[in-house]
Amino acid sequence: RKEPGVLSERRRHDCGGNHQPPTHFVGIGGAGMSAIARVLKAAGCYVQGSDRSESRVTEMLREEGIPVYIGHDARSLGADVERVVYTRAVPEDNPEIEAARRQKLPVIERAEMLGQLYSLFGRRASVTGSHGKTSTSAMLAVIMIRCGADPTALIGGHSPDLDGNARLGLSPLIVAEACEAYGSFLHLRSSLALVTNVDEEHLDHYKTFEGVKDGFTAFLNLVDEDGVIVACLDDPHLMELRPRCKRRWVTYGSHPEADYRVIEQCKTPEGRAYTLRGPGWQTPVSIPIPGKHFASNSAGAIAAAVELGCDPSEAAKALASFRGVSRRLELKGRINGVTVVDDYAHHPSEIKETVEALKEHYGGRLTVVFQPHLYSRTAEHLEGFARTLAPADRVVLTDVFAAREPLSSGVQTDALYDLMKDAGHTGLIYIRDLPDVAPRLAAEVRPGDVVVTVGAGDVYRAGEDLLRELGANPEEAA
């Protein structure tokens, strides 16, 4: 934006004038797609979309006045659609995309659309990293709101503090999650880039770990010349990129040389507490979510907020009541002494952090219900999954959530089961069909147990079903 309020003033240009022909979103139920659609709707644009199945997100969009069609049909476009936005999860032969191209309509990939939205803002804070970017972007958005910055925000998950995954602000600041998958973040020119880590992920696109590093390097070199990179000094792979990015860097983490240093970290009944020491100041921080990784990510969010002009102590206070993000160490409920948690972890590094956080915070017997995501990812990280699941007392494996892939792309869960069984894990169970998990666990759990559902698919349903089997309503149990 050139000045506050410019987005609404530009509505005639960006949304088609008084007639407002709609922007059609193919796959509107996705986290990134729905966030953009909600911001455009809040700005006065007319949007509509389609998805392959009903979900909580499609219900929410309808409640906000956004038409959503279930199933993909060329007729859903209507006669006056201005442009079509799609997500990479949608195949090229989707009938709506094919119809749009026949009609010579602009067909725009989600990341490109986000890049166009970015161009309307004077200050653009992007949060990226192989792990932790959704929670960290939500924390940064919450801090900036409570510090009075009134940002527009687009987050890759549901945040209770934001009443969803997006908000439209009236300032020149946008805070957005910048996804590295398929090089999507290369459409974003940031004035501040907050980076949590760099790991061996999305190899189906990048091919090698060096390719991943090259992608992050290219993204960081798109930061404005007078911008800043806020980076976790504790991550050696991320710090390898520093000589390759000629921008101003500030660092955070537990490393003694970090510009924003985490010291005196400890567990609390609710989560984690620590002191954050910055240039000439220090402030206590307490977040009501367990895990050292959450503490680190919160330090990054505070560091970025300070770089954006927020007072350090006010930034820290903003996180004291942070309510997290759905599917990120989300407490689903407690009943009869059994605690049920859900987490989106789908990479060995993420599973390691989740298992360690839960064992430290809750104690007791830990059962991990793991649904691998993608055949290719299962094959790529087979040994890593086996290693990071091993500390759990019990591991329940279900079949791979295939998403867009054929089995020929990798391996099925039985390969992971065989590897862990051969390694001697004594608490291993293979239940192929997800609906069969809850009845089995309901008969075996005991007071003091913690059950966590883990994966990027629909494994959370097993935790909700378990709560029902035990007599709780998942909507009220937490």
Side-chain angles (χ1 to χ4, degrees):
R1 291 177 212 184
K2 297 177 182 176
E3 59 186 10
V6 167
L7 186 60
S8 59
E9 293 172 9
R10 293 189 57 171
R11 180 177 61 188
R12 181 181 302 275
H13 170 74
D14 294 307
C15 304
N18 293 330
H19 176 57
Q20 293 191 31
T23 296
H24 182 85
F25 287 79
V26 183
I28 197 169
M33 292 282 277
S34 60
I36 297 174
R38 294 182 71 217
V39 165
L40 292 180
K41 175 67 165 59
C45 301
Y46 184 65
V47 298
Q48 64 179 47
S50 63
D51 214 303
R52 62 182 179 181
S53 59
E54 297 279 7
S55 68
R56 295 171 184 170
V57 175
T58 58
E59 292 175 6
M60 174 194 69
L61 293 172
R62 286 199 191 97
E63 290 172 359
E64 296 181 1
I66 298 175
V68 179
Y69 305 96
I70 299 304
H72 296 297
D73 190 322
R75 292 172 293 182
S76 299
L77 267 63
D80 63 346
V81 166
E82 181 184 36
R83 57 191 168 188
V84 171
V85 182
Y86 70 98
T87 170
R88 287 290 297 267
V90 174
E92 285 291 319
D93 61 354
N94 178 278
E96 295 166 20
I97 294 177
E98 289 183 334
R101 288 182 171 140
R102 284 195 302 269
Q103 297 174 39
K104 302 190 183 308
L105 296 173
V107 178
I108 305 169
E109 202 270 325
R110 180 202 64 84
E112 182 182 352
M113 185 68 198
L114 179 57
Q116 292 182 14
L117 189 60
Y118 251 45
S119 69
L120 303 177
F121 292 83
R123 294 196 299 166
R124 291 146 278 113
S126 302
V127 182
T128 192
S130 299
H131 319 296
K133 53 187 169 287
T134 300
S135 297
T136 307
S137 55
M139 284 190 275
L140 178 56
V142 166
I143 292 170
M144 299 312 297
I145 291 167
R146 295 182 182 172
C147 287
D150 194 20
T152 292
L154 296 101
I155 310 301
H158 180 88
S159 166
D161 295 297
L162 301 176
D163 194 27
N165 59 350
R167 80 183 296 268
L168 177 67
L170 294 177
S171 80
L173 173 65
I174 184 170
V175 174
E177 178 175 339
C179 183
E180 79 281 14
Y182 308 110
S184 294
F185 56 5
L186 298 181
H187 290 278
L188 306 181
R189 294 186 175 274
S190 314
S191 48
L192 178 147
L194 168 55
V195 194
T196 57
N197 45 59
V198 175
D199 205 348
E200 213 167 349
E201 174 67 309
H202 299 298
L203 298 184
D204 55 333
H205 172 76
Y206 291 105
K207 307 305 179 186
T208 65
F209 194 13
E210 284 306 310
V212 175
K213 294 175 184 177
D214 289 343
F216 274 92
T217 300
F219 165 74
L220 293 175
N221 279 317
L222 291 174
V223 171
D224 296 345
E225 289 188 5
D226 59 350
V228 61
I229 296 168
V230 181
C232 183
L233 189 55
D234 299 331
D235 185 80
H237 299 305
L238 172 55
M239 299 317 298
E240 285 178 23
L241 309 185
R242 190 168 187 173
R244 299 160 60 179
C245 304
K246 304 303 181 183
R247 300 292 187 272
R248 182 169 72 91
W249 286 61
V250 298
T251 58
Y252 69 91
S254 300
H255 194 285
E257 297 181 6
D259 298 307
Y260 296 86
R261 185 182 174 193
V262 174
I263 59 175
E264 301 169 350
Q265 185 176 165
C266 64
K267 170 188 168 184
T268 69
E270 294 78 25
R272 307 290 298 182
Y274 61 92
T275 297
L276 185 62
R277 178 177 294 168
W281 55 264
Q282 65 181 37
T283 187
V285 183
S286 180
I287 56 171
I289 301 174
K292 294 178 182 178
H293 60 304
F294 262 96
S296 175
N297 292 341
S298 70
I302 294 171
V306 172
E307 293 295 321
L308 289 168
C310 198
D311 177 79
S313 62
E314 291 301 312
K317 289 176 185 176
L319 294 183
S321 58
F322 179 66
R323 291 183 286 171
V325 178
S326 64
R327 307 222 55 216
R328 274 72 178 177
L329 280 181
E330 180 185 7
L331 175 63
K332 300 294 290 189
R334 292 190 180 96
I335 183 171
N336 302 332
V338 176
T339 301
V340 179
V341 179
D342 178 52
D343 196 79
Y344 195 68
H346 53 283
H347 183 280
S349 297
E350 296 166 349
I351 293 172
K352 177 178 182 293
E353 298 285 3
T354 295
V355 170
E356 288 180 354
L358 293 176
K359 288 183 76 70
E360 178 195 51
H361 188 75
Y362 290 105
R365 189 172 63 155
L366 177 64
T367 297
V368 176
V369 180
F370 178 50
Q371 180 191 55
H373 185 255
L374 302 180
Y375 299 119
S376 60
R377 182 182 281 123
T378 306
E380 289 163 2
H381 298 295
L382 199 64
E383 292 186 359
F385 286 136
R387 181 177 61 256
T388 54
L389 288 167
D393 300 286
R394 292 195 305 172
V395 177
V396 178
L397 300 175
T398 73
D399 273 354
V400 170
F401 186 87
R404 57 192 178 271
E405 284 190 339
L407 179 55
S408 58
S409 301
V411 299
Q412 183 54 276
T413 305
D414 56 356
L416 177 58
Y417 175 82
D418 291 342
L419 186 61
M420 294 188 67
K421 185 177 181 181
D422 290 345
H425 199 291
T426 57
L428 191 62
I429 307 169
Y430 187 10
I431 304 177
R432 289 177 169 81
D433 297 323
L434 195 65
D436 296 333
V437 171
R440 171 75 177 267
L441 290 181
E444 299 179 358
V445 291
R446 61 190 187 220
D449 278 3
V450 177
V451 177
V452 58
T453 52
V454 173
D458 60 354
V459 67
Y460 64 89
R461 298 180 186 276
E464 294 177 352
D465 289 346
L466 175 59
L467 288 169
R468 293 188 188 96
E469 291 275 349
L470 296 175
N473 181 347
E475 299 299 323
E476 302 173 356

